[in-house]
Amino acid sequence: MMRLLALLVLLAFGGLVAPGHALAQATVTRSPATAPTLGTTIRGTSATTFSISTSGAVTRTSGNAIRLSSSSVTTPTITVNCGLLNLSGLCALRHVRVTITPAPGSGPAAISRLRIGGLSGATYRSGSAPPEGSSLSFDLNPIGLLGSATFHLGMDVVLAANASSGTYAFDYVVTVELVP
């Protein structure tokens, strides 16, 4: 019994894992799994920026392309989770770094700015939300066992000048890692 307990303690605290390598990481899910869509847009002669708030409202902030719909979009909800009893990587006890970047090669529509809104289930390590930016990287305080952190993602999307009228896809990548 004592050997089994010692083995569990070694596994839980990384004794059998190479330094700097956790056996498990926090996981991230996106809902919906794709970036929001602006719907059909009509060609503009200048690059046009549409701003999507963290609540889903879409506003044209520059340029002269036209978005045919005036309705809101479903903004992405990002959830970071440590899972059930994830002791192998001490996920529930370590800070979690979240990095969000626009995906390359999106075509005529591309994300130029990202923003975070409505964090629940966790707190920022720095004490406040990260400022808007072309990419975001921020740390969350430990989430705890069975806990998860959730936030909404807003963004600015630039539609290239003279892009054909139609619907365009754009995407982003979210990664999470444990930090000391």
Side-chain angles (χ1 to χ4, degrees), residues 53-150:
S53 73
T54 57
S55 64
V58 180
T59 307
R60 183 178 64 190
T61 58
S62 69
N64 60 0
I66 298 169
R67 179 176 177 252
L68 290 182
S69 174
S70 61
S71 64
S72 296
V73 299
T74 302
T75 57
T77 300
I78 310 298
T79 302
V80 178
N81 186 318
C82 281
L84 177 63
L85 299 176
N86 190 347
L87 295 176
S88 60
L90 294 176
C91 176
L93 304 174
R94 293 174 60 186
H95 297 332
V96 177
R97 177 160 300 139
V98 179
T99 304
I100 307 169
T101 56
S106 295
I111 297 171
S112 63
R113 193 165 210 67
L114 296 160
R115 67 187 64 81
I116 300 294
L119 175 66
S120 63
T123 56
Y124 296 105
R125 187 175 185 183
S126 67
S128 61
E132 295 182 1
S134 57
S135 64
L136 299 175
S137 185
F138 56 93
D139 293 349
L140 299 175
N141 287 318
I143 298 169
L145 290 176
L146 300 176
S148 61
T150 302

Side-chain angles (χ1 to χ4, degrees), residues 3-28:
R3 287 184 192 183
L4 179 60
L5 182 60
L7 180 59
L8 288 173
V9 169
L10 279 173
L11 285 172
F13 291 97
L16 298 179
V17 179
H21 293 78
L23 289 174
Q25 295 284 325
T27 59
V28 63

